[in-house]
Amino acid sequence: EAQVTQNPRYLITVTGKKLTVTCSQNMNHEYMSWYRQDPGLGLRQIYYSMNVEVTDKGDVPEGYKVSRKEKRNFPLILESPSPNQTSLYFCASSPLAGGGNEQFFGPGTRLTVL
Amino acid sequence: ILNVEQSPQSLHVQEGDSTNFTCSFPSSNFYALHWYRWETAKSPEALFVMTLNGDEKKKGRISATLNTKEGYSYLYIKGSQPEDSATYLCASSGSGYALNFGKGTSLLVTP
């Protein structure tokens, strides 16, 4: 089944404890992206990747890192999480880079930072 | 318009009613307009991607139109059903690689 998977789905952690949220897609998509969803706000892009070893900042990259060593994986790293990073995170992929391609979303990761 | 704006913020209709929502987006440097359907506890799913002025797309009872000159898109649902209850997200893209999302319209359809 073609899909985008994220792990973990739920995570409660404490300030300063490094964490990684994994994202994997099995559709051989070139483009992958991370978003965060907060109440009253639209989905905001954190980072995106147009292909292996090519990443760039979105609208809200502060406090996050990403890597794209393989085409299928695009992990989101929080080196020192803070309470303002409590949010619902979505990973998404699309066949090609460029805004004309629909994005396929993962199931979301709900992160709470205490 | 600098951001993508959606209206109304929420909508409550009866089963069988037809409804429509609006998405306004920056018309300069426009490349594509996306509509996504997001059900509670699930992930957003693409409904339509439109690029040309005057585009109209349809999927079952749901259709969408696009006006790139004035920077708006309408989403229509004909004969709403309870299973249509969801948040409908609109997003626009320019020549870059980012999608700018609106805050969504939350639709509740009651029997």
Side-chain angles (χ1 to χ4, degrees):
Chain A
E1 180 188 355
Q3 60 183 349
V4 179
T5 56
Q6 293 179 228
N7 281 292
R9 295 288 312 280
Y10 303 90
L11 180 61
I12 300 174
T13 189
V14 295
T15 298
K17 186 176 180 182
K18 180 179 178 180
L19 67 93
T20 299
V21 184
T22 64
C23 173
S24 183
Q25 50 91 7
N26 62 2
M27 296 170 280
N28 201 36
H29 285 175
E30 287 188 359
Y31 181 88
M32 298 185 75
S33 182
W34 276 102
Y35 297 90
R36 60 178 289 174
Q37 168 70 44
D38 300 292
L41 299 174
L43 284 166
R44 293 182 294 168
Q45 190 173 46
I46 304 170
Y47 269 94
Y48 62 91
S49 169
M50 290 177 282
N51 216 322
V52 176
E53 302 291 2
V54 182
T55 63
D56 210 344
K57 296 177 181 179
D59 295 324
V60 288
E62 294 78 20
Y64 304 96
K65 289 173 62 176
V66 292
S67 69
R68 188 94 180 271
K69 294 187 173 67
E70 308 165 278
K71 200 170 188 178
R72 64 184 293 126
N73 296 323
F74 190 45
L76 180 70
I77 303 155
L78 285 73
E79 293 272 1
S80 183
S82 61
N84 64 12
Q85 293 178 298
T86 293
S87 188
L88 176 60
Y89 291 87
F90 285 105
C91 179
S93 71
S94 66
L96 298 170
N101 299 281
E102 71 175 78
Q103 298 203 2
F104 296 78
F105 284 83
T109 294
R110 189 165 291 281
L111 172 66
T112 301
V113 183
L114 302 175
Chain B
I1 296 173
L2 297 179
N3 296 316
V4 176
E5 297 173 0
Q6 293 187 244
S7 63
Q9 183 177 348
S10 63
L11 198 52
H12 181 187
V13 302
Q14 296 295 312
E15 182 176 357
D17 289 349
S18 293
T19 187
N20 66 85
F21 328 131
T22 303
C23 172
S24 301
F25 56 88
S27 53
S28 61
N29 197 31
F30 169 84
Y31 186 77
L33 191 285
H34 297 226
W35 281 101
Y36 291 85
R37 181 171 179 273
W38 185 14
E39 288 184 74
T40 303
K42 294 187 178 180
S43 46
E45 290 184 349
L47 288 171
F48 307 112
V49 179
M50 297 180 287
T51 56
L52 299 176
N53 185 46
D55 258 353
E56 291 187 25
K57 295 211 172 180
K58 186 174 181 181
K59 185 182 289 189
R61 293 178 292 98
I62 304 177
S63 60
T65 61
L66 179 65
N67 182 322
T68 61
K69 294 186 189 306
E70 296 180 42
Y72 65 84
S73 174
Y74 294 134
L75 187 80
Y76 300 92
I77 302 179
K78 183 178 178 181
S80 302
Q81 299 297 307
E83 57 265 32
D84 295 328
S85 298
T87 296
Y88 291 83
L89 300 172
C90 165
S92 76
S93 66
S95 56
Y97 302 100
L99 270 185
N100 296 307
F101 280 85
K103 296 178 183 180
T105 292
S106 178
L107 173 66
L108 177 63
V109 183
T110 50

